Structure formats: structure tokens, C-alpha cells
């Protein structure tokens, strides 16, 4: 599941023209991976390869691991573009958090889940000069 919600608006404070963006993101999901190996072994001679293998024999497999991930991602942000004459000042920030719960099951059974969490704060500051309608610095 994924969701994004934002509010975008324009307003003036004296001679300054603001374009404000406030919002947030949320994503959650699950995935899994299983690894299998063959139960029967076959002789291989690289000098005389034989690719004729009985399909019923190859179909017999065993699972070696199963890995499951439960992922959560959230973010919140606010940005303001402030225009004054031929200048545009961009000010803003974003906070992001990522969490993952990993469950690994081997042939010996399930292991204790691993928890992973990371977060980041990303500030933004930029000044743009537009001498004419087709150029910016």
C-alpha cells in the first residue's frame, strides 16, 4: 500500500510571492524469497557433457531458506519557493524514515527477526537568479 498527501498553495507577504508545498508519503509492503536446491546429484563431465536428465528426478527439490521482509517507509516535507523581482529563493526540508523487519527461515527453523531502521533529514536551500524569461543562474 502506498499513499501520498500534499497541500500546495500560493500567497504573498508584501513584495514576496510564495509557493508553498507541504506533504507526506507512506508506503508499506511485504516480499519474500525462497531458495531451493536439488535433492539428487548428477555426474558432470565437461569434456563429454550429457544434457539428457530425467525431468522427474530434477523436480525433486528441498528449500534451503525463506526470507520475508516487511517494509515501512514514511516521509514528511515542507518547501517554499519565494519569488522577489528576478530572484527565487527555495527553502525546505524533508524527513524520511525507513523500517524493515527481516525474517529468515533455514532448514534448522526460523531465526530471530532482524530489525533495520534508518532515518534522514534533508534540508534544501537554493537561490536562483533569472535575468530574463529563458535564462537562470
Amino acid at each position: 500500500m502506498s499513499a501520498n498527501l500534499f497541500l500546495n498553495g500560493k500567497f504573498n507577504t508584501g513584495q514576496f510571492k510564495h509557493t508553498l508545498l507541504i506533504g507526506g508519503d507512506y508506503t508499506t509492503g511485504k516480499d519474500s524469497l525462497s531458495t531451493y536446491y536439488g535433492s539428487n546429484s548428477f555426474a558432470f563431465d565437461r569434456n563429454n557433457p550429457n544434457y539428457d536428465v530425467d525431468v522427474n528426478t530434477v523436480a525433486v527439490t528441498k528449500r534451503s531458506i525463506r526470507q520475508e521482509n516487511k517494509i515501512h517507509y514514511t516521509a514528511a516535507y515542507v518547501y517554499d519557493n519565494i519569488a522577489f523581482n528576478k530572484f527565487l529563493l527555495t527553502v525546505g526540508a524533508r524527513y524520511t524514515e525507513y523500517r524493515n523487519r527481516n525474517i529468515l527461515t533455514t532448514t534448522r527453523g526460523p531465526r530471530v527477526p532482524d530489525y533495520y531502521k534508518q532515518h534522514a533529514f534533508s534540508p534544501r536551500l537554493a537561490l536562483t537568479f533569472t535575468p530574463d524569461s529563458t535564462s537562470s543562474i
Side-chain angles (χ1 to χ4, degrees):
M1 181 183 85
S2 184
N4 180 292
L5 179 66
F6 66 91
L7 175 66
N8 194 5
K10 294 183 178 189
F11 61 94
N12 295 336
T13 55
Q15 294 180 337
F16 299 104
K17 296 178 182 178
H18 297 263
T19 302
L20 187 66
L21 174 66
I22 300 171
D25 302 325
Y26 176 76
T27 301
T28 185
K30 293 191 292 185
D31 65 27
S32 64
L33 168 73
S34 294
T35 305
Y36 292 84
Y37 63 93
S39 300
N40 301 312
S41 60
F42 302 94
F44 178 73
D45 181 359
R46 70 178 179 184
N47 296 321
N48 186 18
N50 180 5
Y51 299 108
D52 296 323
V53 178
D54 181 13
V55 174
N56 294 322
T57 305
V58 177
V60 180
T61 61
K62 293 181 181 176
R63 187 174 74 194
S64 61
I65 66 165
R66 176 172 173 79
Q67 182 174 336
E68 297 178 49
N69 290 298
K70 294 184 179 180
I71 300 163
H72 296 276
Y73 166 87
T74 54
Y77 52 87
V78 59
Y79 297 105
D80 190 6
N81 288 322
I82 306 165
F84 177 72
N85 292 333
K86 295 185 178 206
F87 290 94
L88 178 66
L89 177 65
T90 302
V91 180
R94 179 182 181 94
Y95 177 78
T96 305
E97 181 180 273
Y98 172 83
R99 292 179 288 139
N100 183 14
R101 180 175 162 225
N102 177 276
I103 303 169
L104 182 66
T105 304
T106 67
T107 55
R108 296 181 183 169
R111 294 187 181 174
V112 176
D114 290 325
Y115 294 94
Y116 176 76
K117 184 176 178 179
Q118 185 176 10
H119 59 91
F121 177 74
S122 306
R124 180 173 182 159
L125 180 63
L127 181 63
T128 305
F129 175 64
T130 53
D132 57 49
S133 63
T134 62
S135 305
S136 64
I137 301 172

